[in-house]
Amino acid sequence: MKQSLNKAAGHVPVLTPKQDKKRWNMKRNYPLHIMLIPAVIFTLVFAYVPLLGIVMAFQDFKPWLGFSNSPWIGWSNFEFMFERQDSKQVIMNTLVISAAKIVAGLIAPITFALLLNEIRQVGFKRTLQTLVYLPHFMSWVILGGILIDVLSPQGGLLNRFITSAFGIEPIFFLGDGDWFRVTIILSDIWKEFGFSTIVFLAALSSVNPSLYEAAEIDGAGRWKQTLHVTLPAIMPITIVVGTLSLGNILNAGFDQIFNLYNPLVYDKGDIIDTFVYRVAILSGEMSFGTAVGLFKSVIAFILILTSYRLAYKYANYRIF
């Protein structure tokens, strides 16, 4: 009523300090909001509009009939997914490879961070950090070509070394299923452990130096200090990284495996993402491929929610 009388009398409404501050913030940040528009459009077009294609999982989709005219078959694609033997094998491969990557992806950077933290020569320490970070910034297209040449049984660098040093036959690292899994896991660790070390180095830098001084006075050596001071201090961030990794348990690394695998290792190296690519894109079974992808997305969503809950419960970590 008062505002209506002010308007009728020609008075300019007086803003409260809170409203004035909000308007000032909007004026100050409007260029940032404008810069955000292309990213929002890009996300809508490439992340949300394609979600309409989920209906293919419940149809016998035919491209010439489209979404509206393709026959609906309900849950048949999902039932067929669990009946196919190769689907079960693909899920198992994904879980094995992904779980091994998560475990090794925690052990390797923590170990390297502890060792790097003991180096006192700053120049050597920074040089070593830079060298181990570099593979992270290289794509698997490049690294895949390098690994194929290095691991080749016909004159590959590693096989030539094995043959000359130990006198054994060349190993087909990328053609034998068991060796392929080992190669995938170790090459992923080599590529990513340097960059993952950053998190643990930051955690180590926040450890109170007085704790080490107290431990040294009590007669603890470097090993005892690491065991009773360093590891407990970085345990919260370790729990956070480990639990959040659970959300990626079904992401075993499409780029890496796609650039390294071949039909000889499908039984041990084929994962959900590469399976969907071959079935949906190459074989044309779009409905079945969509059903497999939707199944993976739902499970991954549940795991992400669970991992954030665990991170909040055991490490008091939360985003919102």
Side-chain angles (χ1 to χ4, degrees), residues 287-307:
S287 295
F288 180 70
T290 304
V292 177
L294 180 59
F295 166 77
K296 174 197 166 184
S297 299
V298 171
I299 299 299
F301 178 71
I302 295 172
L303 289 173
I304 289 172
L305 294 179
T306 304
S307 65

Side-chain angles (χ1 to χ4, degrees), residues 172-189:
F172 200 176
F173 290 100
L174 300 179
D176 181 274
D178 295 325
W179 277 109
F180 181 79
R181 283 184 178 177
V182 175
T183 303
I184 287 295
I185 295 166
L186 292 180
S187 59
D188 183 75
I189 294 171

